Amino acid sequence: MLDIPSHVRVHVDPLIAAQNDMGVCDAIERNAPGGKPADMSAPNVPKVAGIDPVVPPPAQTPAPAGAVIQDRLAGWVSDLTTLHELTERLVSTRALDEALHAVVRAGATLVGARRGLVVLEPADGLGPTSTVGLGLAHAELGHIETVPRRAYGAASEGAREDAAPGPDLFVSSPDLFREEDLDPLHREVATRLGYAACYALPLTGPSGTFGSAVWLYDEPAEPVERRRHLAGLYLRYAAEHLARLVELERAHARVATLTEELLPSRLPRVSGVQMAVRHRTGPLGGGDWYDALPLPEGALGLVVGSVTGTGPGATAAMGRLRASLRAYAVIEGEDPVAVLSDLELLMRLTEPARSATALLAYCEPAKRKIVLSGAGHCPPLIVGERRTEYAETTLSAPLGMLSCWEAPSVDISPEPGETVLLYTEGLLRRTGDPMDRAFARLHAAAAGVPKAVREDPGAIADHILRTVLPDGLDAVESAADIVLLAARFS
């Protein structure tokens, strides 16, 4: 033990060991001196993530113990700052793919690598599975995925389910081409992609290991113990965050699958009309639905509707209403008002806590005649070469809002080649604009459909979605479902 003043007396060797064994936070708390000695005020070159400065300090006599302690404390503070910044970036991610990219970038910074990848592969086989890379093209990722997992992912295969990423679970290959037992396929891929070393850590969550992170070095190299420790701390937190996003992704997939099963598996073929539909379930699951029902004498029933609320309850209510409306439409489909009146009575008796909007169109393609009846729903949009306009429908309350619902129907006659668009309010809400501006945006998108695609209802629907939602269906923070049903009359 050094002979230094009692107010800064610290056991240096145990301090160094504590840094490696207990983590930076515990080491600082347990070994920090009680006061600030006078010789700790000298400036020091800052360190980032435990990386030594680029320019080494000039050779000099051994520094006083206080300066050594100050230098180590400054390094710990720098490490903590770096970890805080990286975890803050990670926690701000909402989507699984975005979080995976954040993890591979942060890990490359901590271990000093230029390229890397994260493989998401839950052991239970329930998905989702994904591979994202840093500095690797899509074809290069494909080559790496051909390498057996044991070559660089043994950390994940041998990890205990109750263990967190740490120095005892990493897999390091500091010089691949000097390893006698290197997998031949791994050697071939490493030669083709030009990396000479790799370092891997497992992704271990509460339910076990569900993937691994791998970083690649262009030259033979291996991260020092300090960097391995920082990467282990970061991966421990990142694995918990990714595990939560995996469970959320699975829940969204279950809701989407349930919704799709309650909707038509395909649209019917009816002479004189071409149809296409675009549907997207919100992240929480909702009650928007559509239907296309062949009716007697070559008629066709088109329906779009929305049940209030989100989640499995709204999805189940949507399924019940859709099945009931199909039955009523078969019985009296030529009278949409009667169909919606029956549906409203059913809702008051069986779904008293809910309301719904609906638009039913009884179509006779041979006559190009449509009889519309709506209950609190958005008006259809007619798109043709000579006009793009909203069809005038009567104002009415949603189903379940009044003790007795009834509203007159409206007749429209589309011209040959015109397309009638039926949609739900979710499409307008996803724009983020007030409703009047959202209606105007939808109208402008329909009016701008290129002539080359006006004969294809699917292409028309895709063009409108790209124009109304230029950032994509999933880019907008909204829980609303989307339904867009296009029917082109020949």
Side-chain angles (χ1 to χ4, degrees):
M1 188 168 61
L2 300 176
D3 187 13
I4 58 177
S6 60
H7 63 284
V8 293
R9 187 179 299 272
V10 176
H11 292 276
V12 177
D13 292 337
L15 177 62
I16 298 173
Q19 176 195 3
N20 296 327
D21 295 337
M22 72 179 66
V24 290
C25 294
D26 295 336
I28 289 177
E29 181 179 354
R30 182 174 300 181
N31 296 288
K36 179 180 179 181
D39 57 353
M40 290 182 67
S41 60
N44 284 272
V45 179
K47 297 183 178 182
V48 179
I51 303 173
D52 293 332
V54 177
V55 181
Q60 56 185 14
T61 58
V68 174
I69 296 173
Q70 179 193 19
D71 184 67
R72 292 195 176 277
L73 289 177
W76 291 345
V77 171
S78 176
D79 292 346
L80 289 174
T81 301
T82 300
L83 286 175
H84 174 74
E85 292 177 355
L86 295 177
T87 52
E88 282 292 312
R89 295 176 190 173
L90 178 63
V91 78
S92 65
T93 59
R94 301 293 182 86
L96 181 59
D97 189 69
E98 182 185 4
L100 292 173
H101 280 92
V103 169
V104 70
R105 287 194 300 267
T109 299
L110 294 175
V111 303
R114 188 175 65 88
R115 294 181 289 177
L117 67 153
V118 174
V119 180
L120 189 66
E121 201 171 52
D124 55 14
L126 300 179
T129 59
S130 179
T131 301
V132 301
L134 173 68
L136 295 169
H138 182 73
E140 293 174 327
L141 280 177
H143 289 309
I144 293 179
E145 287 182 335
T146 63
V147 178
R149 291 286 185 265
R150 65 180 182 273
Y152 56 76
S156 58
E157 293 178 1
R160 302 184 308 273
E161 291 190 357
D162 59 344
D168 57 331
L169 295 177
F170 70 87
V171 170
S172 181
S173 298
D175 194 344
L176 288 171
F177 300 108
R178 289 192 177 184
E179 295 185 8
E180 296 180 357
D181 56 347
L182 182 65
D183 186 277
L185 183 57
H186 194 188
R187 183 186 302 274
E188 178 184 347
V189 171
T191 303
R192 177 178 299 182
L193 301 187
Y195 64 89
C198 64
Y199 179 77
L201 279 173
L203 295 172
T204 305
S207 301
T209 300
F210 58 93
S212 59
V214 186
W215 293 279
L216 309 175
Y217 298 89
D218 298 340
E219 303 292 339
E222 183 179 24
V224 296
E225 185 175 358
R226 185 179 185 183
R227 292 192 178 190
R228 294 200 301 267
H229 184 65
L230 290 173
L233 290 175
Y234 176 79
L235 259 292
R236 182 183 306 172
Y237 179 83
E240 295 178 358
H241 182 69
L242 291 175
R244 290 191 293 268
L245 292 180
V246 166
E247 290 301 321
L248 188 62
E249 188 84 6
R250 288 178 173 181
H252 291 170
R254 288 193 292 267
V255 170
T257 300
L258 174 62
T259 303
E260 294 298 330
E261 289 296 324
L262 292 174
L263 294 175
S265 58
R266 61 181 180 85
L267 296 175
R269 292 186 177 182
V270 178
S271 177
V273 62
Q274 297 174 280
M275 292 176 288
V277 67
R278 299 294 182 264
H279 173 258
R280 180 60 59 90
T281 303
L284 302 178
D288 287 16
W289 89 92
Y290 66 92
D291 209 343
L293 182 65
L295 297 175
E297 300 180 0
L300 174 69
L302 298 177
V303 188
V304 290
S306 177
V307 177
T308 56
T310 57
T315 303
M318 174 269 287
R320 292 191 292 269
L321 289 181
R322 174 179 171 268
S324 301
L325 190 145
R326 286 174 68 92
Y328 295 146
V330 170
I331 297 173
E332 47 191 351
E334 70 278 0
D335 187 356
V337 173
V339 174
L340 294 184
S341 297
D342 293 341
L343 189 64
E344 194 274 338
L345 176 60
L346 178 69
M347 279 198 62
R348 283 195 286 115
L349 296 176
T350 62
E351 308 279 350
R354 294 189 183 276
S355 64
T357 66
L359 180 67
L360 173 59
Y362 177 78
C363 308
E364 296 179 276
K367 301 178 182 179
R368 290 196 303 277
K369 178 182 177 182
I370 301 176
V371 181
L372 287 171
S373 183
H377 204 82
C378 304
L381 183 59
I382 304 174
V383 182
E385 292 185 2
R386 289 184 295 225
R387 63 171 176 170
T388 299
E389 62 185 22
Y390 289 102
E392 294 186 6
T393 57
T394 56
L395 296 176
S396 62
L399 301 173
M401 298 291 291
L402 302 178
S403 58
C404 182
W405 178 92
E406 186 171 346
S409 60
V410 176
D411 294 350
I412 63 174
S413 299
E415 297 294 330
E418 288 187 333
T419 301
V420 178
L421 298 176
L422 308 181
Y423 53 94
T424 58
E425 190 177 329
L427 175 60
L428 304 176
R429 277 190 270 153
R430 286 249 184 159
T431 64
D433 294 337
M435 292 305 291
D436 56 342
R437 294 183 60 184
F439 274 112
R441 177 184 288 193
L442 177 59
H443 183 277
V449 174
K451 292 183 178 181
V453 301
R454 286 184 181 269
E455 296 183 359
D456 183 356
I460 293 175
D462 291 335
H463 172 84
I464 290 175
L465 289 178
R466 286 194 304 268
T467 307
V468 174
L469 303 174
D471 295 330
L473 298 179
D474 298 324
V476 182
E477 293 284 344
S478 175
D481 292 2
I482 290 179
V483 170
L484 179 60
L485 177 61
R488 181 181 181 274
F489 292 83
S490 58

